[in-house]
Amino acid sequence: MDLSTYSHSFSLKNKISRLLWNCSSLILFRPFASRLFRRWRILVLKCFGAKIEWSSHVYASVKIWAPWNLELGANSSLGPKVDCYNQGKISIGSNTIISQKSYLCASSHDYTKPDFPLILKPITIGDGVWVAADAFIGPGVCIENNSVIAARAVVNKKVFKNSIVRGNPATSISRDEISTKKLQYDKL
C-alpha cells in the first residue's frame, strides 16, 4: 500500500456541504437535546436532505456524517451517541431501534489496491429491527425485517428476516437456544 497515491474522492460540493452541516449541527442540532425538540432536530436533518419521517426520534448526541445519505422510517429511533458514518447511503425502515453507542459504517477501503481507494457500500436495515447497544454494522450489510442484533455484535454480512444474531463475528442464535434461555429465566 502506498498512501502517497491516495486521492480523496469527494467533490468540492460534498466537502462544502459537510462543512455547512458540521457547523449547523453544532448550533442547530446538538444543543437541543430535550425530547421537546425532537421535531426541531428532524426539521434540521430534512433541511440537509435526510429522508426522515416526522414520527422518528433522533437523539441530539447522534453523529451523522452526511444527512443527505440517511433514510429513517416511521417510528424509528437513532439512540444516544449512535455514530452514523454514512459516507455511503444508510436506509433504516419503520419501527426500528438503533440503540445507544451503535456504529453504522457504510464505507471502507480496498486494501488490495496500492492507492487504497474508498469504497462506498450502503447499509439497509429493515422494519421492526432492534440493533442493541454498542453493535457494529459494517459496509454493505443488509438486515432484514424483524431481526435482533445483540449488544456489541459485529455484523459484516446479511442478516435474514426474523433472525437473532450475536458475537464477533455475528452468528445466528437458534430458536431452541432462545427457548431454553427463556425457560431458565422464567424459573428465576
Side-chain angles (χ1 to χ4, degrees):
M1 172 175 7
D2 180 9
L3 293 179
S4 66
T5 62
Y6 178 76
S7 65
H8 296 83
S9 58
F10 293 105
S11 67
L12 180 61
K13 179 184 174 189
N14 181 286
K15 291 175 184 176
I16 291 170
S17 296
R18 282 188 292 120
L19 177 64
L20 289 172
W21 162 244
N22 286 325
C23 293
S24 297
S25 71
L26 288 173
I27 298 165
L28 301 173
F29 189 83
R30 287 192 173 278
F32 297 93
S34 169
R35 292 179 78 81
L36 298 172
F37 295 105
R38 181 180 62 80
R39 287 182 173 259
W40 170 255
R41 290 189 300 272
I42 291 171
L43 175 64
V44 172
L45 287 169
K46 283 179 171 279
C47 287
F48 279 89
K51 293 178 181 144
I52 181 170
E53 295 293 325
W54 288 105
S55 61
S56 295
H57 185 77
V58 179
Y59 283 76
S61 59
V62 169
K63 288 166 107 179
I64 299 171
W65 196 83
W68 50 90
N69 284 338
L70 177 64
E71 290 183 14
L72 189 61
N75 307 309
S76 290
S77 174
L78 291 176
K81 298 184 180 179
V82 166
D83 196 335
C84 192
Y85 193 57
N86 58 341
Q87 290 179 322
K89 189 172 188 148
I90 294 179
S91 300
I92 300 168
S94 298
N95 302 301
T96 291
I97 299 169
I98 310 297
S99 293
Q100 66 272 16
K101 299 180 184 176
S102 292
Y103 193 95
L104 311 177
C105 181
S107 62
S108 187
H109 293 272
D110 186 348
Y111 62 87
T112 64
K113 295 186 178 173
D115 59 345
F116 202 56
L118 181 68
I119 302 168
L120 305 179
K121 292 186 174 182
I123 293 173
T124 305
I125 300 173
D127 299 332
V129 172
W130 176 28
V131 176
D134 211 19
F136 174 84
I137 310 300
V141 166
C142 175
I143 301 173
E144 293 185 347
N145 297 346
N146 305 312
S147 295
V148 175
I149 310 303
R152 297 217 161 171
V154 176
V155 182
N156 289 312
K157 60 183 180 179
K158 184 174 187 169
V159 175
F160 294 97
K161 69 180 179 176
N162 303 314
S163 295
I164 301 173
V165 299
R166 67 176 179 194
N168 179 5
T171 55
S172 216
I173 299 173
S174 73
R175 296 290 175 194
D176 292 336
E177 186 176 354
I178 295 166
S179 297
T180 302
K181 289 195 183 294
K182 184 177 179 342
L183 285 172
Q184 290 170 351
Y185 177 77
D186 288 344
K187 289 178 183 179
L188 294 176

